[in-house]
């Protein structure tokens, strides 16, 4: 019983009609729910930003969403305002089976830094605590699903592989943003890190 299903950011703002909608994001909810029954543990992540978060294009004069800027911790893609704490957009998709979750981990809650990965913030060194949770429960085999494949899923899977977990990404249960070649880049980076794409 060492297999965790990690469901990345299945929230209203990442689904059609949301502020940062991923095409087809809502189409994978039912299959993700079905997948939960076979897992030893289910972890949900929730993008959870304060209003005026530094990753929002609205906070940078003259900048538009999807432009890249240099932050003290490295390059950062700018996004539309999304997943603001306490808003409907930050809530999970209403059909997602949140009852089955053993743990809900929130990320991106510090104003000055974004967090794509479920393991580390975007400086790639500040831990979220998820590694410790999984290790202390003996969960060594991780399967990732959710949104978006080429950002939060990929960064999470790559970090998990670097940390020594056995990692699979179930691509049929993910959807991507695929901006400017980001999906091909993410697939290459995941494979290079030892992630299995199923
Ligand atoms: Zn975000």
């Amino acid at each position: 019983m060492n297999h965790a299903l990690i469901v990345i950011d299945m929230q209203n703002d990442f689904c059609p009609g949301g502020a940062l909608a991923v095409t087809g994001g809502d189409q994978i909810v039912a299959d993700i729910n079905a997948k939960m029954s076979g897992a030893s543990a289910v972890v949900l992540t929730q993008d959870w930003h304060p209003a005026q978060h530094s990753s929002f294009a609205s906070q940078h004069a003259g900048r538009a969403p999807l432009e890249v800027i240099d932050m003290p911790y490295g390059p950062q893609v700018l996004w539309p305002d999304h997943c603001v704490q306490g808003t409907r957009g930050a809530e999970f998709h209403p059909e997602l089976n949140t009852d089955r979750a053993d743990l809900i981990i929130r990320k991106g809650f510090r104003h000055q830094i974004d967090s794509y990965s479920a393991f580390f913030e975007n400086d790639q060194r500040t831990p979220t605590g998820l590694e410790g949770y999984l290790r202390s429960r003996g969960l060594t085999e991780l399967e990732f699903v959710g949104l978006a494949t080429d950002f939060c899923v990929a960064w999470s899977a790559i970090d998990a592989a670097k940390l020594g977990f056995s990692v699979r990404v179930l691509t049929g249960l993910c959807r991507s943003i695929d901006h400017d070649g980001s999906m091909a880049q993410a697939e290459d980076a995941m494979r290079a890190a030892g992630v299995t794409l199923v």
Side-chain angles (χ1 to χ4, degrees):
M1 297 300 279
N2 60 355
H3 153 230
L5 180 70
I6 302 182
V7 181
I8 303 291
D9 296 0
M10 285 303 302
Q11 296 164 258
N12 288 324
D13 267 344
F14 295 125
C15 289
L20 180 40
V22 180
T23 304
D26 55 339
Q27 295 168 358
I28 56 178
V29 177
D31 287 340
I32 288 174
N33 287 342
K35 194 80 193 165
M36 291 178 183
S37 58
S40 322
V42 174
V43 174
L44 308 181
T45 71
Q46 189 172 27
D47 210 32
W48 193 249
H49 299 307
Q52 302 173 339
H53 189 252
S54 59
S55 75
F56 296 166
S58 62
Q59 302 306 303
H60 303 269
R63 297 291 188 166
L66 297 177
E67 287 185 26
V68 179
I69 63 165
D70 287 318
M71 297 288 254
Y73 52 82
Q76 170 70 47
V77 179
L78 295 177
W79 304 107
D81 290 23
H82 67 279
C83 296
V84 173
Q85 296 168 1
T87 64
R88 186 181 172 281
E91 293 173 8
F92 290 110
H93 187 284
E95 288 162 29
L96 185 71
N97 179 9
T98 57
D99 290 353
R100 178 63 177 82
D102 298 358
L103 176 75
I104 295 172
I105 189 153
R106 289 173 166 167
K107 59 189 182 66
F109 51 76
R110 289 190 179 87
H111 177 264
Q112 292 298 342
I113 186 167
D114 204 1
S115 188
Y116 295 156
S117 168
F119 292 91
F120 295 100
E121 300 192 23
N122 282 11
D123 61 1
Q124 297 179 38
R125 70 182 67 171
T126 304
T128 63
L130 180 57
E131 179 194 2
Y133 178 85
L134 296 170
R135 289 205 197 285
S136 59
R137 285 196 56 188
L139 297 161
T140 55
E141 298 189 10
L142 311 183
E143 286 188 322
F144 288 86
V145 299
L147 304 171
T149 329
D150 39 348
F151 287 93
C152 293
V153 174
W155 284 52
S156 298
I158 289 167
D159 281 347
K162 285 180 181 169
L163 290 168
F165 293 97
S166 167
V167 182
R168 289 152 44 100
V169 170
L170 309 183
T171 55
L173 299 184
C174 301
R175 290 292 183 273
S176 63
I177 293 171
D178 201 13
H179 171 70
D180 198 18
S182 58
M183 187 58 201
Q185 271 180 18
E187 284 183 342
D188 288 348
M190 284 192 280
R191 288 201 182 92
V195 173
T196 302
L197 303 182
V198 183

